[in-house]
Amino acid sequence: MSYDVSTAEPVIVAKDLAKSYRQFDHPADRLKQALWGQRKTYYKGFDALKPVSFELKRGQVLGVVGDNGAGKSTLLQLVCGTLLPSKGHVSVHGRVAALLELGSGFNPDFTGRENVYLNGSILGLSQAEISQRFDEIVAFSGIGDFINQPVKTYSSGMMVRLAFAVATSVEPDILIIDEALSVGDGAFARKSFDRIMALKEQGTSILFCSHNLYQVEAICTEVMWLNQGRIEAFGPPGEVIKRYEAHLFEVEAGQDTQRIDHRSPDTSDEALLPGQGVHPKFTHVQVELDQMASTLTEVPEGQTGQSVLKVHAHWRCVGDLPPPSFAVTLHALDGRMVASAGTHIDQVELPCRQGAGQVTLSFDDLALLKGEYWVEVYLLCENGVLFYDQRVPAARFRMTQPDFALEQGLVHLPRNWNSE
């Protein structure tokens, strides 16, 4: 059951919160500044975060988006208390769990058990409370007997699993997430995602910073766009992200670089602990335009209003997970997404049979006007938020418009004319 935020009290209140740094051109300038004090200035001021004010109520999910260097990480650290503000103040009411640099606070010479007690204490738990939660923490992390081994013998994945299990075991009032809605790989990625979503449903307030605009729009109740340390926009996810995407398009259109994908994360596989499962994964993806193969090197040509684009996909399922959802996006050559379709949007169920699933998606009478396009294909969790696998891009194709020679734009829309 989701938490009602209509009458909730704020758990985070930031008033004119700002952070500045001093930048010295030479190491000796630091000494000169210390000797001269305020009488002379040997540094340049850099405002990582200019005065910002906002509130986060219990049960709300606030997304934070912005370019690299916009001040997002600085804001999260100020809320966590790992940085002190240069101006303003932030009030935090409740227990905070931060998924920032998981495992960075572990002592490598301590065993996993000792680090659980150490980090649990830092997060505000008593020894008795940690002992009460200890077995569940170890079981959730899945590291088994390694809990009694020094952390320096752990793989990075094992350390992240244990750190996540500790951080989320404190039953936080506020959860701060930097980038990922899940951690680890395979089965643990799904477990961690489910735990974060469960905390959200229980009324935990979430501050979620990410470049994945799709996930931000999917789970957030409000979004803040930071631009060069200032709040550029604050409001409903759809409105703010639309403005931010327009900004990204303007920036990227003027750069001679590869397109930056702000919609989907990397889903590359990592090593799994023995005995753990894997997430659903594509086994075959095939794209056709008018029954002609469409790949990254084979680029067929279709006609506006006549061609049929088909996407065939096969994947392996994981027995203990719900059947996945499937999505396709179509992009113009400049990177703009021009259309999308998803089974989680159209409420189409994709059953798994004998450990496998498949689907064919058809775009009939393709309305795209002349130009080159590419297809991206995604496999997601059943509610379309957590990414399992992707083919980005999966195929390319071109369109011509002999029947609509002078028509401009991206798509041909059906219409009727009446001169009476």
Side-chain angles (χ1 to χ4, degrees), residues 9-19 49-57 60 62 64 71-72 74-81 83 85-93 174 176 207 224 226 229 231 234:
E9 293 295 322
V11 293
I12 298 177
V13 180
K15 181 66 174 177
D16 296 326
L17 190 63
K19 182 64 178 179
L49 187 68
K50 299 176 175 71
V52 300
S53 300
F54 68 93
E55 290 185 354
L56 178 64
K57 292 183 177 181
Q60 283 188 321
L62 175 61
V64 182
K72 304 186 299 298
T74 300
L75 175 63
L76 298 190
Q77 292 178 66
L78 288 169
V79 173
C80 291
L83 277 181
S86 303
K87 296 178 183 177
H89 66 274
V90 57
S91 301
V92 179
H93 308 283
I174 304 164
I176 297 177
L207 190 58
M224 176 196 303
L226 289 178
I231 296 179
F234 193 111

Side-chain angles (χ1 to χ4, degrees), residues 97-114:
L99 307 182
L100 302 180
E101 297 180 16
L102 287 172
S104 60
F106 280 4
N107 186 319
D109 294 318
F110 285 9
T111 65
R113 180 185 298 272
E114 292 167 333

